[in-house]
């Protein structure tokens, strides 16, 4: 694990050196957050009104949290870079390095979001405090308890994106599949919580990445319950195990295909 810690630290330091460039993304983030705040202000007739079980403050903070995770975890390392390595043949060079390629990508990805996510979180906290106000009944220990859920959700998302990227071993372009996954994750669970969709669809969403990646962490922060916490942690453990198994399987098959075809 030492070599992956070295990779993580090197990417972390690189991102810290270019923190000013990362800060440029705050402009688009702030505009999108402002638009959604105005949208939900219009949708709610009063702060006490409930929509899908959420008060106005809870709904807006839910979107703030999910958008923070979305903007704070740039996925190009596990999407475009992996696909480019495979299509361009650079993978044949990287697989001979003294590390597992997929774990190398995950270490780089983690080093990136370890800098960017806290920066966007602080921005969201400031915007929320000024434009929305504090989240009712929120306790600091809630954030401490939910931190492992956030990290697990981000990791699951990265592993699944890696799996999609490794389709490039067999087809020319995996981007259409990344696009579909992106839109599913963005519309269901990021922009809107699961409860806002028809009840007949909600059980289905619990078996998708939506439940573990973005919905779970945000739901627990705005409306924490021990039962929901245990349920989401269990779902994340199962999803992470299955996703990692699929990732190693696809990578092994892909590398074997390279060897058979002579690289």
């Amino acid at each position: 694990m030492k070599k992956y810690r070295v990779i993580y630290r090197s990417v972390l330091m690189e991102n810290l050196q270019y923190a000013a460039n990362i800060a440029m993304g705050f402009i688009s983030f702030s505009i999108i957050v402002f638009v959604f705040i105005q949208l939900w202000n219009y949708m709610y007739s009063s702060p006490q009104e409930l929509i899908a079980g959420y008060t106005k403050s809870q709904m807006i903070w839910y979107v703030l949290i999910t958008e923070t995770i979305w903007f704070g975890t740039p996925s190009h390392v596990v999407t475009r870079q992996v696909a480019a390595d495979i299509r361009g043949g650079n993978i044949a060079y990287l697989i001979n390095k003294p590390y597992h390629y997929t774990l190398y990508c995950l270490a780089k990805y983690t080093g990136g979001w370890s800098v960017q996510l806290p920066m966007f979180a602080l921005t969201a906290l400031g915007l929320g405090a000024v434009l929305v106000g504090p989240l009712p009944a929120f306790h600091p220990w809630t954030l401490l308890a939910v931190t492992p859920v956030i990290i697990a959700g981000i990791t699951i998302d990265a592993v699944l994106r890696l799996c999609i990227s490794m389709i490039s071993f067999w087809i020319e372009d995996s981007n259409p599949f990344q696009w579909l996954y992106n839109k599913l994750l963005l519309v269901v669970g990021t922009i809107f919580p699961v409860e806002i969709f028809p009840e007949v669809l909600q059980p289905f969403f619990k078996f998708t990445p939506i439940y573990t990646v973005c919905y779970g962490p945000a739901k627990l922060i705005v409306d924490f319950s021990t039962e929901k916490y245990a349920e989401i942690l269990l779902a994340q453990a199962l999803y992470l195990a299955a996703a990692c198994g699929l990732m190693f399987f696809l990578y092994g098959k892909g590398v074997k295909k390279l060897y058979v075809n002579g690289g």
Side-chain angles (χ1 to χ4, degrees), residues 18-34 67-68 71-73 115-125 127:
Y18 295 98
N21 292 340
I22 298 171
M24 295 300 293
F26 295 160
I27 298 174
S28 57
F29 174 74
S30 300
I31 292 172
I32 290 174
V33 165
F34 179 78
E67 289 294 334
T68 297
F71 276 85
T73 54
V115 174
Q116 299 195 35
L117 185 60
M119 293 174 68
F120 278 97
L122 288 173
T123 304
L125 185 62
L127 290 171

Side-chain angles (χ1 to χ4, degrees), residues 79-91:
T79 54
R80 294 194 299 270
Q81 183 176 327
V82 173
D85 284 342
I86 296 172
R87 290 198 307 269
N90 194 40
I91 188 71

Side-chain angles (χ1 to χ4, degrees), residues 36-233:
F36 276 109
I37 289 175
Q38 299 309 310
L39 171 65
W40 288 114
N41 279 332
Y42 175 79
M43 294 289 290
Y44 280 86
S45 58
S46 70
Q48 289 74 35
E49 181 187 0
L50 293 178
I51 296 180
Y54 292 79
T55 64
K56 183 173 77 171
S57 179
Q58 286 178 322
M59 186 67 79
I60 293 175
W61 275 104
Y62 176 93
V63 175
L64 276 169
I65 294 163
T66 55
E67 289 294 334
T68 297
I69 296 173
W70 184 267
F71 276 85
T73 54
S75 59
H76 65 276
V77 172
V78 289
T79 54
R80 294 194 299 270
Q81 183 176 327
V82 173
D85 284 342
I86 296 172
R87 290 198 307 269
N90 194 40
I91 188 71
Y93 168 75
L94 293 171
I95 59 177
N96 293 315
K97 292 290 185 178
Y99 49 67
H100 197 282
Y101 175 72
T102 59
L103 298 180
Y104 161 76
C105 293
L106 288 175
K108 287 185 64 177
Y109 175 71
T110 305
W113 70 252
S114 293
V115 174
Q116 299 195 35
L117 185 60
M119 293 174 68
F120 278 97
L122 288 173
T123 304
L125 185 62
L127 290 171
V130 172
L131 300 176
V132 185
L135 182 64
F138 176 78
H139 299 283
W141 67 265
T142 300
L143 185 59
L144 184 63
V146 176
T147 297
V149 178
I150 296 172
I151 295 173
I154 293 170
T155 305
I156 292 168
D157 180 50
V159 173
L160 290 174
R161 290 180 187 275
L162 263 172
C163 290
I164 296 172
S165 295
M166 284 188 288
I167 298 176
S168 297
F169 277 117
W170 293 274
I171 65 173
E172 180 65 24
D173 190 7
S174 62
N175 285 331
F177 300 98
Q178 294 284 5
W179 185 88
L180 288 172
Y181 175 78
N182 259 335
K183 299 314 171 190
L184 175 66
L185 207 61
L186 182 63
V187 175
V188 185
T190 301
I191 297 177
F192 303 106
V194 169
E195 290 89 350
I196 212 161
F197 292 90
E199 289 187 8
V200 68
L201 294 177
Q202 292 178 25
F204 167 74
F205 291 145
K206 289 188 176 183
F207 293 97
T208 67
I210 297 161
Y211 193 71
T212 58
V213 172
C214 47
Y215 167 80
K219 174 66 175 178
L220 288 173
I221 292 176
V222 302
D223 186 19
F224 185 87
S225 72
T226 306
E227 295 78 12
K228 181 65 73 174
Y229 184 70
E231 179 182 305
I232 290 172
L233 274 179

